């Protein structure tokens, strides 16, 4: 298993460019004005792999409870052709 | 009473809805739709799993009705230790677990049981949620 320092630290902008239309799990390393700015990428993948990313996140929290994590979709989370009425 | 006003920068999404990043249980960051039409804050099952919530052992069940269906349904309710937005944190917050459409890739909705602990106002042009404290300070400012 890679040590945490071996995971690349990238900005959110870099992550969104590199893995467009994917789920990305990061350990948050930098926030500014309560916005996530950068993190270490733990994993990424399409919808079908999001459960695996959740299991990776739970494992990370077991190993390091102090870690803050963010699992997010890299493009628009609400499709342009959809209007939300919950 | 703490008179600090918290101005939470949200993201504006199609239809003008506001989405904010919340910190749940001080470890998981999640995108929540700010939803004054939701009586209770909800998360999707994926987010519940991220938090390690045991879906088969809820704190209680609650019957909900939603706008898009004539049916009502019971949903599991859990208590979060804390939910933080901007500089404010609310502790012991009940959240329900509901499914959203799979193409809607947000993690839940921030409902009235959070918002009503403040005097919220919305600046849709700047995508800001303004949270003013109530007397009694039910929320806690972190700064």
């Amino acid at each position: 298993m890679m040590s945490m320092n071996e995971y690349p630290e990238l900005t959110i902008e870099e992550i969104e460019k590199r893995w467009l239309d994917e789920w990305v799990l990061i350990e948050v390393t930098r926030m500014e004005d309560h916005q996530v700015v950068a993190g270490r990428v733990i994993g990424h993948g399409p919808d079908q792999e999001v459960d695996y990313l959740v299991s990776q996140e739970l494992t990370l929290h077991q190993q390091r409870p102090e870690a803050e994590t963010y699992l997010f979709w890299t493009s628009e989370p609400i499709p342009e052709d959809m209007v939300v009425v919950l | 009473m703490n008179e600090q006003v918290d101005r939470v920068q949200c993201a504006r999404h199609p239809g003008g809805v506001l989405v904010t990043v919340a910190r749940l249980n001080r470890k998981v960051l999640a995108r929540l739709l700010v939803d004054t039409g939701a009586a209770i804050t909800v998360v999707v099952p994926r987010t519940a799993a991220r938090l390690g919530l045991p879906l088969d052992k809820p704190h209680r069940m609650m019957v909900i009705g939603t706008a898009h269906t004539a049916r009502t349904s019971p949903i599991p309710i859990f208590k979060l230790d804390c939910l933080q937005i901007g500089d404010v944190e609310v502790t012991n917050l009940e959240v329900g677990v509901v499914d959203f459409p799979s193409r809607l890739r947000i993690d839940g909705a921030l409902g009235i049981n959070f918002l009503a602990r403040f005097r919220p106002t919305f600046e849709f042009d700047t995508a800001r949620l303004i949270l003013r404290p109530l007397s009694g300070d039910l929320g806690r400012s972190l700064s």
Side-chain angles (χ1 to χ4, degrees):
Chain A
M1 183 178 175
M2 295 169 79
S3 74
M4 288 311 300
N5 288 336
E6 290 175 274
Y7 291 104
E9 181 180 69
L10 299 170
T11 65
I12 293 296
E13 199 172 273
E14 290 169 328
I15 290 169
E16 289 174 343
K17 276 184 189 165
R18 191 176 297 193
W19 295 293
L20 188 65
D21 290 334
E22 285 196 43
W23 289 100
V24 176
L25 172 64
I26 63 171
E27 179 184 2
V28 177
T29 55
R30 192 154 34 108
M31 293 190 73
E32 289 173 9
D33 293 332
H34 304 289
Q35 307 295 316
V36 181
V37 173
R40 292 188 198 284
V41 177
I42 309 299
H44 62 90
D47 283 323
Q48 298 89 325
E49 292 177 21
V50 72
D51 288 346
Y52 176 66
L53 295 174
V54 170
S55 70
Q56 282 188 298
E57 186 175 24
L58 290 171
T59 300
L60 175 62
H61 283 145
Q62 283 172 354
Q63 292 170 343
R64 293 193 304 111
E66 76 283 3
E68 277 195 343
T69 51
Y70 186 33
L71 174 61
F72 65 102
W73 183 253
T74 53
S75 58
E76 177 59 67
I78 301 175
E80 298 282 349
D81 62 349
M82 183 188 288
V83 172
V84 178
V85 179
L86 295 178
Chain B
M1 176 179 160
N2 187 340
E3 288 296 338
Q4 183 183 345
V5 175
D6 200 51
R7 297 175 189 277
V8 181
Q9 184 63 56
C10 302
R12 206 158 174 263
H13 288 280
V17 296
L18 302 183
V19 173
T20 185
V21 174
R23 181 179 279 112
L24 312 178
N25 285 355
R26 299 193 184 127
K27 63 180 180 181
V28 164
L29 296 172
R31 280 173 167 154
L32 302 184
L33 180 77
V34 182
D35 186 1
T36 60
I40 188 167
T41 298
V42 294
V43 295
V44 299
R46 177 185 65 251
T47 310
R50 294 176 63 201
L51 290 161
L53 301 179
L55 288 181
D56 57 336
K57 294 179 184 169
H59 175 64
R60 66 188 178 106
M61 299 295 287
M62 178 186 284
V63 175
I64 63 161
T66 57
H68 65 285
T69 174
R71 295 164 55 188
T72 58
S73 55
I75 62 166
I77 303 291
F78 295 87
K79 274 200 174 178
L80 287 189
D81 292 338
C82 52
L83 189 155
Q84 182 187 343
I85 301 284
D87 275 330
V88 296
E89 181 180 76
V90 165
T91 55
N92 275 330
L93 185 74
E94 284 196 327
V95 298
V97 180
V98 296
D99 266 322
F100 285 177
S102 59
R103 291 179 63 220
L104 190 59
R105 295 177 178 98
I106 56 176
D107 304 312
L110 189 67
I112 299 294
N113 67 332
F114 179 92
L115 296 169
R117 300 205 191 185
F118 304 90
R119 295 177 59 219
T121 53
F122 299 87
E123 292 179 354
F124 286 101
D125 59 332
T126 60
R128 284 202 184 102
L129 167 63
I130 317 295
L131 297 173
R132 293 180 172 81
L134 291 172
S135 58
D137 197 20
L138 295 170
R140 184 166 74 95
S141 176
L142 299 174
S143 58

